[in-house]
Amino acid sequence: MQYSVDWANVVTSYMKKQLADIALPSAPRPGLNIKQTFKGVLSDSDTRDRWISRFVYCLKLLRTFYSEGLVDSRTYLTWIVQQMSACNLAQISFITRLADEYLDGMLGSRPLIRPFLHACLSKLSEKPGTIHVEQNSREVCQILQDNLADIKRRNEAMLFRSLPIHVSARLGSDVSDIKLLNSISSLTNMESLQFFSHSTGDEVGFAEKLDMLLTWSVTPLQFGDHRPFAAVTLIRNWRMDAADRATRRHFCPPDEFLQDRLFDWLDTSDIANDPDNIRSVSLLFGKLVKYELFSYASYVQRLIARGEIGLSTIEVRRTKAR
């Protein structure tokens, strides 16, 4: 909103005026020492206390304005970056304090954090004691370069770029499957999307793909509330195709086979049994039950048959099934 930008400009203009009161002494004239020629606001205890009191009060107001969205965050953070570049060595401690408090806001924006880091390194080079400062600057630059290289490798890995040459066929297939699932959107024709193989004899391959699909649909490492619905739709489409093939060839229907595979995933998957994922798993299996892809009654009967404990609501001990 424009009002937040305007108010951010008002606040930063006032803070800039306060910071302008802090100046470095100029070179003393012959015959006079610095104390006789320099009357900075921080050099006198009374003016220092008054200045600090006003500055602290301004920071308290700013925290409230920032948290409530009354000042535009990008305008304010941009101002901090600009002040880090333009401030003198007497002002830098105050600017650094501001930057430290609002660093999280800058870290998510490359156009902000890059010039901010350059400004910090530039100020290090201006500091007296050049030998130690230059050494520290080189060390900081090396750390930043190493971290940026590591971030680049991780980003490329998440985007499935620069994969090792000797990658296994299974990994290559998994990468393709994840890309396919992540491409699903509201515009995707789910009827024509082929995720499962039409092969009827590859039970291991189907189980691996089903495990990937179910994990993708509930893991917090992926994004999109549509994922459980997309997974159920893909399983429904597979079940209908498999049922048609079974009818034509006089095979057993796929319902029992699918029930066993879903049970195995729910029983053994670490993702499924993570307490943080219980809502996503419940939503997923609620949809599977709704479309008769998973039988809750058969699930409970199987748990009882193997002597599963913890099914009663009065029992304290909790199990995966519970």
Side-chain angles (χ1 to χ4, degrees):
M1 299 292 289
Q2 184 60 39
Y3 75 86
S4 63
V5 175
D6 294 339
W7 189 236
N9 289 329
V10 170
V11 173
T12 53
S13 296
Y14 180 76
M15 295 181 66
K16 184 177 181 179
K17 183 179 178 181
Q18 281 187 298
L19 290 169
D21 293 335
I22 305 175
L24 288 174
S26 57
R29 295 193 299 270
L32 298 176
N33 58 35
I34 290 180
K35 290 184 178 181
Q36 291 174 309
T37 59
F38 179 64
K39 300 295 183 182
V41 69
L42 300 182
S43 60
D44 179 76
S45 60
D46 292 335
T47 57
R48 180 173 62 247
D49 292 342
R50 286 196 299 270
W51 187 92
I52 291 177
S53 177
R54 292 200 312 272
F55 192 71
V56 169
Y57 179 69
C58 184
L59 292 184
K60 289 181 180 179
L61 289 178
L62 178 60
R63 291 188 191 101
T64 303
F65 295 156
Y66 189 89
S67 62
E68 297 295 333
L70 297 178
V71 297
D72 181 68
S73 60
R74 189 168 187 85
T75 301
Y76 173 63
L77 297 176
T78 301
W79 178 81
I80 291 180
V81 175
Q82 293 171 345
Q83 293 306 303
M84 180 60 74
S85 300
C87 69
N88 58 48
L89 294 180
Q91 299 166 343
I92 193 170
S93 60
F94 298 98
I95 300 298
T96 302
R97 178 66 183 84
L98 286 173
D100 180 64
E101 185 167 347
Y102 297 95
L103 185 61
D104 289 343
M106 288 190 286
L107 288 175
S109 174
R110 181 186 176 93
L112 286 175
I113 199 63
R114 185 182 180 90
F116 177 74
L117 292 175
H118 281 296
C120 291
L121 293 174
S122 176
K123 292 304 172 185
L124 276 176
S125 64
E126 294 177 13
K127 187 177 179 181
T130 56
I131 296 178
H132 295 292
V133 170
E134 289 178 1
Q135 181 179 358
N136 291 336
S137 298
R138 286 194 296 269
E139 292 176 355
V140 170
C141 288
Q142 186 61 47
I143 292 173
L144 290 175
Q145 290 174 357
D146 293 342
N147 288 339
L148 289 173
D150 184 55
I151 292 171
K152 182 180 179 181
R153 285 193 296 270
R154 284 185 290 166
N155 288 342
E156 290 179 345
M158 288 189 292
L159 294 172
F160 302 111
R161 297 174 180 170
S162 302
L163 291 172
I165 297 177
H166 302 290
V167 65
S168 67
R170 180 67 244 172
L171 178 57
S173 176
D174 289 347
V175 169
S176 299
D177 289 340
I178 292 296
K179 283 187 175 181
L180 177 63
L181 293 174
N182 285 338
S183 70
I184 296 175
S185 68
S186 59
L187 303 178
T188 303
N189 183 356
M190 298 299 291
E191 298 298 327
S192 61
L193 186 66
Q194 294 295 331
F195 179 75
F196 293 107
S197 172
H198 289 297
S199 175
T200 57
D202 187 10
E203 294 185 0
V204 175
F206 173 82
E208 290 177 347
K209 285 214 168 195
L210 181 64
D211 180 89
M212 176 188 296
L213 177 63
L214 297 173
T215 300
W216 171 83
S217 69
V218 300
T219 177
L221 301 179
Q222 296 288 347
F223 298 95
D225 295 334
H226 67 287
R227 289 177 291 139
F229 304 96
V232 171
T233 301
L234 290 174
I235 295 172
R236 284 183 69 193
N237 293 344
W238 174 86
R239 203 271 301 269
M240 287 189 292
D241 291 343
D244 289 342
R245 289 195 300 270
T247 300
R248 293 195 304 268
R249 302 174 185 180
H250 303 289
F251 290 163
C252 294
D255 301 74
E256 185 175 348
F257 171 74
L258 180 60
Q259 174 78 15
D260 290 342
R261 300 291 78 75
L262 292 171
F263 179 93
D264 291 342
W265 181 83
L266 190 60
D267 190 51
T268 61
S269 171
D270 293 334
I271 294 291
N273 292 289
D274 187 340
D276 293 335
N277 296 333
I278 188 169
R279 292 178 64 87
S280 299
V281 175
S282 298
L283 173 62
L284 172 65
F285 274 79
K287 295 297 180 183
L288 291 171
V289 171
K290 176 182 178 180
Y291 293 108
E292 299 181 351
L293 301 170
F294 183 76
S295 170
Y296 181 72
S298 299
Y299 173 67
V300 174
Q301 289 174 1
R302 184 167 174 180
L303 294 178
I304 295 174
R306 74 178 189 182
E308 184 73 47
I309 62 174
L311 296 177
S312 172
T313 57
I314 63 174
E315 293 185 28
V316 177
R317 183 175 177 181
R318 301 182 67 85
T319 67
K320 288 184 177 181
R322 183 73 186 144

